[in-house]
Amino acid sequence: MPSPDSPSHAEGNAAAELAELRASVDSIDSALLHILAVRFDITRKVSELKAQHSLPASDPRREAEHLNELRALATASGLEPSVLDPVFSLIYGRVVRSHQDVASSHQFDASLVAESLDHRETPSETRN
């Protein structure tokens, strides 16, 4: 059995501590994934609302303001604010694409409805 001061004992302690830290990181990653799923669920609802009211898919001013608020929060939390840029660029980009996709499907649906209304028979036509 290795003594408490032996290299193999220290390596065993380091391996155990590393496994514990990795388990904590894995739990945080799972929580982040869940939070992202909730966020995207809400932004799908935003996509529907924007499409229903013909609002633009992107709001660059709101995105910039929100990112500045997050940078300030990151700084206050001891996190380097620049770490947010690629993360939120990816998130915002995906959300805008979702808004555009939903708006396109609404436009397509609306054009189908309009087309079917243009080609329907009027009550007087059906009686002849």
Side-chain angles (χ1 to χ4, degrees):
M1 174 173 240
S3 72
D5 294 333
S6 71
S8 61
H9 187 272
E11 289 171 7
N13 286 342
E17 185 176 357
L18 181 59
E20 199 174 299
L21 291 170
R22 285 180 173 164
S24 294
V25 168
D26 292 349
S27 293
I28 292 166
D29 288 347
S30 294
L32 284 170
L33 181 70
H34 176 74
I35 290 168
L36 276 174
V38 170
R39 187 188 196 288
F40 283 117
D41 186 50
I42 293 168
T43 58
R44 274 190 291 279
K45 293 173 185 172
V46 171
S47 295
E48 286 292 330
L49 185 64
K50 284 185 168 190
Q52 289 168 2
H53 296 280
S54 300
L55 297 171
S58 179
D59 185 347
R61 191 179 81 200
R62 185 212 169 336
E63 292 167 15
E65 288 171 358
H66 186 239
L67 193 54
N68 284 334
E69 291 168 2
L70 290 173
R71 285 181 184 126
L73 183 60
T75 299
S77 299
L79 183 64
E80 177 59 41
S82 65
V83 94
L84 300 176
D85 293 342
V87 172
F88 278 91
S89 177
L90 180 68
I91 291 171
Y92 290 160
R94 181 63 195 104
V95 168
V96 168
R97 280 192 309 277
S98 172
H99 294 342
Q100 291 167 336
D101 292 347
V102 171
S104 292
S105 72
H106 274 257
Q107 290 169 351
F108 180 72
D109 292 344
S111 67
L112 287 177
V113 170
E115 184 178 308
S116 68
L117 290 174
D118 288 344
H119 292 96
R120 69 182 175 152
E121 292 182 357
T122 63
S124 63
E125 292 172 330
T126 57
R127 282 188 235 151
N128 293 335

